[in-house]
Amino acid sequence: MKKTNNKKDFKVPEGYFEGFTDKLMERIKTSNGDQKNLMLPKSDGFKVPDTYFEGLHSKIQSKLKEDETKVIPLNPWRKQLYYAAASVAIVVLLTIAVQFNQSPELTFESLANSDIEDYFEQTDLGFSTYEIAEVIPVDDLEVSDILEYQFKDENIIDYLDDDIDNIEELNLLDND
Amino acid sequence: MIAEETLLDELRRPETLDKAFEVLVNTYKERLYWHIRRIVLNHDDSDDVLQNTFIKVYKNINGFKGESQLYSWMYRIATNESLTFLKKKSNKMGISDAELQDRMVSNLQADVYFDGDEIQIKLQEAIARLPEKQKLVFNMKYFQEMKYEEISGILHTSVGGLKASYHLAVKKLEAFLKED
């Protein structure tokens, strides 16, 4: 394959190819720079007190020791009291659990739609509706995904007959 | 720097725990501090949250299963501690999360440990308006210069999702800074 333009039917400015690489590299450098710097400041202006990090480990150690000394040892009679209370609590919990176990196991289907809707409303997904709309392909959606009510053909024809004066105004295109 | 596996091994043995914990604190204190500081903004609050984070790490190190890297686990604890701290603060003050964010940014001007100029304050105002996830991703990527793979290990979000969040965050921040 010929790499040169031997027939000379087009011309380029003199010295064009000599300076091409430099020009291109300069442009790449500039556009990279633009992208990196954006228009946001690179530092955020936060400072820490001098020597803050030097003393941190000992501060954490003394806090840990403080936590350890706060633990109050249980007296033997107190322990027995706790065991007795725990046994009663276990019996009560087991009774309740046995009763509750008789109800059918929860599945995704048993969740009410309102619960699912509530979850999406209450949980911050980190995206706005418009942002979600940007990533959901419209082609995969059917009208039935959005509308609960299914229109029958005769309803649509009745509506057009009764309410539309001039059907030409709808400017319908036959796409089929 | 000591290898993570060796450090973890030493942290799990009572006889080497204290020495290894000191190494752990010294290795990660600055990185975790800046991560927390960019969430809670104020130095004193960051100091509290950072200490609580390390105390949680110390107390729960035997419960760490090693399914993720040690630093990802610590970043997760730091993130949770910071967000819980803010939640408690807004509940205590009886204001919404958004209101608290606004107050935190307006307090910056009087903060002795903040010497940002007008544009840096405006940037903090803009960041405060981002949804939580975008805020975290932006701070970790832009200021802490973390890789998407590292952020993914911490926030349990796919790299694609993180890229989308970062892109949207930058777009919103630029739009906010362009106003006026």
Side-chain angles (χ1 to χ4, degrees), chain B residues 10 13-19:
Chain B
E10 288 176 358
R13 276 188 284 139
E15 64 274 20
T16 48
L17 169 64
D18 285 346
K19 189 89 200 86

Side-chain angles (χ1 to χ4, degrees), chain A residues 38-49 52-53 56-57 59-60 63-64 67 126-127 131, chain B residues 22 29 33-34 37-38 41 43 47 50-51 58-59 113-115 120 134 142-143 172 174 177:
Chain A
L38 305 166
M39 56 169 301
L40 308 175
K42 195 59 205 165
S43 80
D44 51 14
F46 290 122
K47 292 191 298 180
V48 275
Y52 165 69
F53 290 115
L56 188 69
H57 176 253
K59 260 201 305 197
I60 294 170
K63 218 170 173 181
L64 273 167
D67 278 6
F127 293 107
E131 287 159 7
Chain B
E22 188 174 349
K29 61 187 175 187
Y33 172 84
W34 288 112
R37 179 76 186 266
R38 290 188 174 105
L41 305 190
H43 166 72
D47 181 35
L50 181 63
Q51 289 189 37
Y58 184 91
K59 288 183 173 171
Y113 298 119
F114 179 77
D115 62 0
Q120 282 161 329
Q134 288 179 22
Y142 191 74
F143 289 120
K172 284 182 197 171
E174 287 192 319
L177 293 181

Side-chain angles (χ1 to χ4, degrees), chain B residues 2 13 19 29 31 43 46 49 53 70 74 91 96 99 122 125 135 142 146 156 162:
Chain B
I2 188 163
R13 276 188 284 139
K19 189 89 200 86
K29 61 187 175 187
R31 272 183 272 179
H43 166 72
S46 306
V49 175
T53 301
L70 183 61
M74 292 201 301
N91 285 346
S96 70
E99 244 174 298
K122 199 155 183 210
E125 275 174 31
K135 197 184 298 179
Y142 191 74
M146 292 170 82
H156 286 163
L162 292 173

Side-chain angles (χ1 to χ4, degrees), chain B residues 106-145:
Chain B
S106 40
N107 287 343
L108 276 179
Q109 298 189 41
D111 191 337
V112 285
Y113 298 119
F114 179 77
D115 62 0
D117 53 21
E118 205 184 319
I119 187 85
Q120 282 161 329
I121 288 180
K122 199 155 183 210
L123 175 64
Q124 288 304 322
E125 275 174 31
I127 294 173
R129 279 168 176 73
L130 291 177
E132 205 164 78
K133 189 70 158 281
Q134 288 179 22
K135 197 184 298 179
L136 287 171
V137 176
F138 176 78
N139 280 333
M140 290 163 103
K141 181 78 195 140
Y142 191 74
F143 289 120
Q144 294 170 259
E145 297 182 335

Side-chain angles (χ1 to χ4, degrees), chain A:
Chain A
M1 198 170 143
K2 284 180 185 176
K3 283 185 181 171
T4 47
N5 182 19
N6 287 336
K7 292 192 174 168
K8 308 273 183 202
D9 44 1
F10 290 108
K11 287 197 290 183
V12 289
E14 226 172 282
Y16 170 75
F17 290 112
E18 281 76 38
F20 182 79
T21 317
D22 289 344
K23 234 165 58 182
L24 184 69
M25 291 318 287
E26 182 61 31
R27 194 162 163 200
I28 289 171
K29 228 165 103 188
T30 320
S31 64
N32 271 350
D34 283 345
Q35 211 181 351
K36 250 191 160 173
N37 291 329
L38 305 166
M39 56 169 301
L40 308 175
K42 195 59 205 165
S43 80
D44 51 14
F46 290 122
K47 292 191 298 180
V48 275
D50 298 337
T51 72
Y52 165 69
F53 290 115
E54 277 85 70
L56 188 69
H57 176 253
S58 33
K59 260 201 305 197
I60 294 170
Q61 278 299 349
S62 45
K63 218 170 173 181
L64 273 167
K65 278 194 187 117
E66 218 174 87
D67 278 6
E68 276 168 23
T69 48
K70 267 186 204 161
V71 179
I72 304 161
L74 296 170
N75 295 326
W77 63 270
R78 251 190 183 176
K79 239 185 206 173
Q80 279 171 9
L81 206 70
Y82 282 120
Y83 285 141
S87 321
V88 174
I90 288 168
V91 172
V92 172
L93 280 174
L94 277 176
T95 320
I96 295 169
V98 167
Q99 279 175 351
F100 266 90
N101 269 346
Q102 286 162 358
S103 59
E105 204 185 319
L106 280 176
T107 61
F108 185 76
E109 282 70 32
S110 59
L111 283 172
N113 278 346
S114 57
D115 287 340
I116 299 171
E117 281 164 16
D118 274 356
Y119 172 79
F120 283 112
E121 271 172 28
Q122 302 293 326
T123 311
D124 180 14
L125 297 172
F127 293 107
S128 73
T129 322
Y130 292 104
E131 287 159 7
I132 293 170
E134 269 184 29
V135 290
I136 295 179
V138 180
D139 297 347
D140 294 349
L141 288 175
E142 294 290 333
V143 176
S144 57
D145 292 334
I146 304 160
L147 293 176
E148 276 178 33
Y149 187 77
Q150 297 298 310
F151 295 106
K152 287 183 182 153
D153 284 353
E154 55 262 37
N155 295 132
I156 298 171
I157 291 164
D158 283 349
Y159 169 78
L160 291 172
D161 277 347
D162 298 342
D163 295 281
I164 306 295
D165 295 332
N166 184 3
I167 203 144
E168 296 298 319
E169 279 176 10
L170 289 177
N171 214 6
L172 294 173
L173 291 173
D174 190 3
N175 289 324
D176 292 331

Side-chain angles (χ1 to χ4, degrees), chain B:
Chain B
M1 204 172 80
I2 188 163
E4 201 176 282
E5 295 83 47
T6 320
L7 186 61
L8 194 55
D9 190 46
E10 288 176 358
L11 284 166
R12 281 173 175 155
R13 276 188 284 139
E15 64 274 20
T16 48
L17 169 64
D18 285 346
K19 189 89 200 86
F21 184 64
E22 188 174 349
V23 175
L24 183 84
V25 172
N26 290 335
T27 310
Y28 292 104
K29 61 187 175 187
E30 291 203 34
R31 272 183 272 179
L32 289 181
Y33 172 84
W34 288 112
H35 178 63
I36 294 166
R37 179 76 186 266
R38 290 188 174 105
I39 303 174
V40 304
L41 305 190
N42 164 293
H43 166 72
D44 289 333
D45 291 345
S46 306
D47 181 35
D48 276 348
V49 175
L50 181 63
Q51 289 189 37
N52 290 340
T53 301
F54 277 120
I55 287 170
K56 282 230 163 124
V57 170
Y58 184 91
K59 288 183 173 171
N60 296 295
I61 195 70
N62 286 318
F64 173 63
K65 300 275 181 282
E67 285 157 358
S68 61
Q69 283 181 297
L70 183 61
Y71 87 88
S72 311
W73 180 64
M74 292 201 301
Y75 260 94
R76 258 199 307 280
I77 295 177
T79 311
N80 289 342
E81 283 292 307
S82 310
L83 297 177
T84 313
F85 175 85
L86 292 182
K87 195 90 212 148
K88 277 187 191 159
K89 200 171 177 179
S90 60
N91 285 346
K92 214 168 157 186
M93 292 165 85
I95 53 174
S96 70
D97 295 348
E99 244 174 298
L100 177 70
Q101 291 287 338
D102 282 347
R103 285 195 198 183
M104 279 158 57
V105 176
S106 40
N107 287 343
L108 276 179
Q109 298 189 41
D111 191 337
V112 285
Y113 298 119
F114 179 77
D115 62 0
D117 53 21
E118 205 184 319
I119 187 85
Q120 282 161 329
I121 288 180
K122 199 155 183 210
L123 175 64
Q124 288 304 322
E125 275 174 31
I127 294 173
R129 279 168 176 73
L130 291 177
E132 205 164 78
K133 189 70 158 281
Q134 288 179 22
K135 197 184 298 179
L136 287 171
V137 176
F138 176 78
N139 280 333
M140 290 163 103
K141 181 78 195 140
Y142 191 74
F143 289 120
Q144 294 170 259
E145 297 182 335
M146 292 170 82
K147 290 180 185 144
Y148 282 119
E149 287 72 20
E150 290 174 314
I151 306 174
S152 168
I154 295 161
L155 299 181
H156 286 163
T157 308
S158 69
V159 169
L162 292 173
K163 284 182 180 172
S165 290
Y166 180 71
H167 175 73
L168 290 168
V170 170
K171 258 178 30 181
K172 284 182 197 171
L173 295 177
E174 287 192 319
F176 187 85
L177 293 181
K178 269 184 209 158
E179 279 174 20
D180 310 335

